[in-house]
Amino acid sequence: MSANLTPDQLHSIKGQLDLVLLALETLVGIGSEAILDQAKSLQLDTLLSDRVNLWRLRQSSPLRKGQGRKKLDVDEARALVLITAQLAGQHQQAIHQAVTALEKATVNGSPPHRVAILGDYLDRFSNTYTERMEADVKPQTLERLAFQLLIDLLFYSGGGGPQRLWQALLERAE
């Protein structure tokens, strides 16, 4: 994981990481306590010590309403990548189940939101996104984003998840 990131790249990474965490939160119902517990188990609690610190870090996302002044540094980005991939791995079965349901709905030509697990995820994702994020996004765009993040989570939940997530963040930041 390269430490030579530009401020613009870190800015982009902040937003992307926040979206991935948002997708994970809304799919499996994790909250700040799960993130902080994972930080502690990975011995990253010096970077993410409490809810206020985590909130400030997440609030630094350029996509957030009322974004704070907190800047994300490379160590914090790395910590969030490790935590996110670890949490995704812990919930791999639920992620896989949702992606499988999405694949089936797509193959059958049926609306994904009519599948219970996908409809619930999409509702929670859309509501949480609208509540927290600055941009006013069309429902179709938000649905595509939610399902793309769901598919991405499957890749981050397996072996090499942290490296895959970091690589994806770097590619999207360019």
Side-chain angles (χ1 to χ4, degrees), residues 122 125-126 129-130 135-146:
L122 189 57
F125 184 88
S126 298
Y129 186 95
T130 302
D136 187 24
V137 180
K138 294 179 184 175
Q140 302 90 332
T141 304
L142 203 51
E143 183 175 311
R144 278 194 305 274
L145 175 62

Side-chain angles (χ1 to χ4, degrees), residues 16-89:
Q16 292 299 317
L17 267 172
D18 195 33
L19 287 175
V20 172
L21 272 170
L22 178 71
L24 189 58
E25 281 179 272
T26 56
L27 177 66
V28 297
I30 64 163
S32 58
E33 285 306 314
I35 295 168
L36 293 172
D37 288 347
Q38 194 60 55
K40 189 173 185 175
S41 76
L42 293 169
Q43 298 178 346
L44 298 169
D45 48 340
T46 55
L47 294 170
L48 289 167
S49 56
D50 57 40
R51 291 179 132 192
V52 173
N53 181 270
L54 176 60
W55 179 83
R56 284 185 180 143
L57 196 59
R58 300 265 324 259
Q59 203 61 22
S60 71
S61 167
L63 306 173
R64 290 276 183 139
K65 291 179 180 175
Q67 55 179 302
R69 291 193 174 106
K70 173 82 173 99
K71 301 287 188 234
L72 180 77
D73 66 31
V74 174
D75 290 334
E76 291 166 333
R78 287 177 175 164
L80 283 175
V81 164
L82 291 171
I83 290 165
T84 302
Q86 191 77 18
L87 286 169

Side-chain angles (χ1 to χ4, degrees), residues 10 12 33 47 62 75 78 94 97 115 121 136 164 169 171:
L10 279 171
S12 173
E33 285 306 314
L47 294 170
D75 290 334
R78 287 177 175 164
Q97 182 182 10
V115 179
Y121 164 66
D136 187 24
R164 289 179 182 174
L169 292 170
E171 288 172 6

Side-chain angles (χ1 to χ4, degrees), residues 108-125:
N108 294 337
S110 59
H113 65 270
R114 292 207 175 138
V115 179
I117 190 172
L118 299 176
D120 291 345
Y121 164 66
L122 189 57
D123 284 346
R124 285 190 303 267
F125 184 88

